[in-house]
Amino acid sequence: MSGRDCSFAFQVLPKEVSPPASSTASHDQSTSSSNKHSPSPSSQADGTPLNVSLTNTNRPQYPCTNPYQDSSLDESVNPYHTELLLHLLTDSSMFNLGARIDNYSGSIPYALNLGLKCPYFLHQLLAFSARHLAYLDPTSTTYLHQACALQTRAISLFNASFTFPSEKPNFDESNCIPALLFSVVLGHHLLADTLSLLTSPSPDADKDSDKLSTFLTHYTQRASLHHGIHTITLATWPSLIHSPLLGPILSQSAAYTSQTAHGTRTHRLQQLINASNTLDESEKKACLTATRYLQLGFDALDTAVSSASDTTTTEAAQPSNPSEMLFLFHVLIPPEFTQLLVARRREALAVMGYYALLLHEGGRGMWQVGEAGKELGGLLRGGIGQLGGE
């Protein structure tokens, strides 16, 4: 399957092997005319069977050579990448913050087939597999190194595959599916990396305020990459919605995120934003948009809890995964809100405080989150006064 050169030094044939009919006829004619008294190849002159030792220097060789003279076909199989591939195929918990896919075992081969055509996607799949293994085996630095190296290569390949001669990205129906899937997997990877800053000791963050500032810096830097998912989706929606794999997922996600939030968990936050005398109207709109997504996340969690004891159906559109907003939040928040975080505006930091609560309630059992929500909430409570802008 790999197309590698497979040269064998020798091959031992079974004792009972009949040569092809055509060669038998020619062989009989030649032996009868040249040497009628020569012993057969399978017996000695006295008629006793011939014992062939494996050390026989006259043994026949059956080489299988590489006719294409392609040195890449001679490379050894990489066992490290094979391990990442097997982990990707067998452990669906890697994507436990994403939309639930009923047929995971059938969807991954589809994704890998796309990866063969689009190497940037294959590299990112393997990178995220390595990132998950790094979590499962924190004593090993190999997996984290692999995750970083493969992710860097994936981004480089992606950038080389898409040129942007104008402000409009050149995504179309021929490349939108692998491009979107790449962005989604990269988004999950970046989220795991960003949240780990809250739970891992950092030599650059000796004080709580330093740790919070480091997290927010990384968060805002990576948020622009998350926005790329939304950009690709909007640019190629007609093609994506007709995809057998992505169409149902995107339809359900769109119905969930476009509905009106009904809960009151973020009511005080909305009041704080509306009453602000330091935000202009566009900045208030950005903060309220982010707040609405958080409320949808709380609604989904509350509905999941209540539906466990109450079978009454609800008219509200529900995500396939109640914790999905933990990931979607970074995709959906407007760029204006990210800029408010860069400026450390108090209202934007207050929104992140509610995101910390959503992380804690919906993700503390997830491998990407753990105690990150609790840590972020504590840092924000103590740091808003020091970090808050005007």
Side-chain angles (χ1 to χ4, degrees):
M1 293 175 62
S2 63
R4 294 174 52 206
D5 173 19
C6 47
S7 298
F8 297 94
F10 66 92
Q11 179 174 336
V12 180
L13 297 178
K15 292 182 179 179
E16 300 295 330
V17 176
S18 300
S22 59
S23 63
T24 303
S26 61
H27 176 74
D28 289 343
Q29 293 173 2
S30 63
T31 54
S32 61
S33 61
S34 62
N35 188 0
K36 295 181 180 180
H37 300 288
S38 297
S40 65
S42 59
S43 64
Q44 302 183 53
D46 59 1
T48 58
L50 176 65
N51 293 323
V52 181
S53 170
L54 293 179
T55 59
N56 190 334
T57 57
N58 295 322
R59 61 180 177 264
Q61 297 189 10
Y62 301 90
C64 175
T65 59
N66 175 9
Y68 301 104
Q69 301 301 314
D70 185 350
S71 60
S72 66
L73 300 179
D74 298 326
E75 296 177 358
S76 300
V77 172
N78 189 324
Y80 302 105
H81 293 168
T82 303
E83 180 186 17
L84 301 181
L85 180 61
L86 289 174
H87 185 65
L88 177 67
L89 286 166
T90 57
D91 197 333
S92 61
S93 65
M94 289 172 51
F95 297 96
N96 56 8
L97 289 182
R100 289 177 180 169
I101 301 176
D102 295 333
N103 185 19
Y104 179 84
S105 60
S107 299
I108 290 299
Y110 170 82
L112 291 174
N113 186 54
L114 286 178
L116 293 177
K117 302 173 184 177
C118 306
Y120 61 83
F121 180 39
L122 179 61
H123 278 71
Q124 182 51 54
L125 283 171
L126 296 179
F128 192 49
S129 178
R131 185 63 183 84
H132 188 223
L133 283 169
Y135 162 78
L136 295 176
D137 185 7
T139 62
S140 173
T141 59
T142 301
Y143 294 126
L144 202 56
H145 174 75
Q146 285 181 310
C148 181
L150 287 166
Q151 183 192 84
T152 300
R153 179 61 175 161
I155 294 174
S156 177
L157 290 170
F158 180 84
N159 290 336
S161 299
F162 295 92
T163 57
F164 302 93
S166 63
E167 294 183 0
K168 184 178 180 180
N170 57 339
F171 299 116
D172 54 41
E173 61 181 8
S174 69
N175 56 33
C176 62
I177 293 178
L180 176 62
L181 290 175
F182 163 80
S183 299
V184 169
V185 179
L186 176 63
H188 281 279
H189 193 152
L190 292 175
L191 179 60
D193 285 343
T194 304
L195 294 179
S196 70
L197 296 173
L198 296 167
T199 55
S200 302
S202 172
D204 299 326
D206 297 329
K207 299 184 300 183
D208 284 351
S209 59
D210 294 335
K211 191 172 186 177
L212 177 59
S213 181
T214 299
F215 168 77
L216 291 174
T217 298
H218 282 81
Y219 177 88
T220 52
Q221 289 174 347
R222 292 166 176 172
S224 61
L225 291 175
H226 288 289
H227 293 152
I229 302 174
H230 202 199
T231 300
I232 297 173
T233 304
L234 292 178
T236 58
W237 181 259
S239 298
L240 293 171
I241 203 65
H242 290 100
S243 166
L245 175 64
L246 296 179
I249 297 174
L250 292 175
S251 296
Q252 184 178 39
S253 179
Y256 165 52
T257 57
S258 62
Q259 66 182 323
T260 302
H262 298 287
T264 60
R265 302 278 294 275
T266 59
H267 183 64
R268 290 181 60 188
L269 178 60
Q270 295 174 47
Q271 289 180 322
L272 172 68
I273 295 169
N274 284 319
S276 173
N277 56 9
T278 61
L279 297 176
D280 60 31
E281 290 304 312
S282 63
E283 291 171 338
K284 287 183 179 182
K285 182 179 179 180
C287 287
L288 289 173
T289 299
T291 301
R292 186 180 74 84
Y293 290 131
L294 290 177
Q295 185 58 61
L296 287 174
F298 286 120
D299 289 349
L301 292 178
D302 293 341
T303 299
V305 172
S306 61
S307 63
S309 55
D310 184 3
T311 58
T312 303
T313 58
T314 176
E315 295 182 0
Q318 296 301 314
S320 60
N321 179 0
S323 300
E324 193 174 352
M325 188 56 73
L326 274 63
F327 170 72
L328 289 179
F329 181 73
H330 304 275
V331 178
L332 298 173
I333 55 174
E336 293 82 0
F337 176 77
T338 303
Q339 293 306 311
L340 292 173
L341 276 181
V342 172
R344 305 296 193 262
R345 301 290 287 272
R346 286 186 174 87
E347 294 83 356
L349 294 176
V351 172
M352 291 301 292
Y354 278 75
Y355 177 67
L357 180 60
L358 184 67
L359 280 173
H360 183 66
E361 291 190 10
R364 61 182 179 273
M366 308 291 188
W367 70 271
Q368 304 95 321
V369 182
E371 295 298 316
K374 180 179 179 181
E375 288 292 325
L376 178 59
L379 292 174
L380 286 168
R381 282 192 295 272
I384 286 181
Q386 300 179 46
L387 294 179
E390 55 181 88

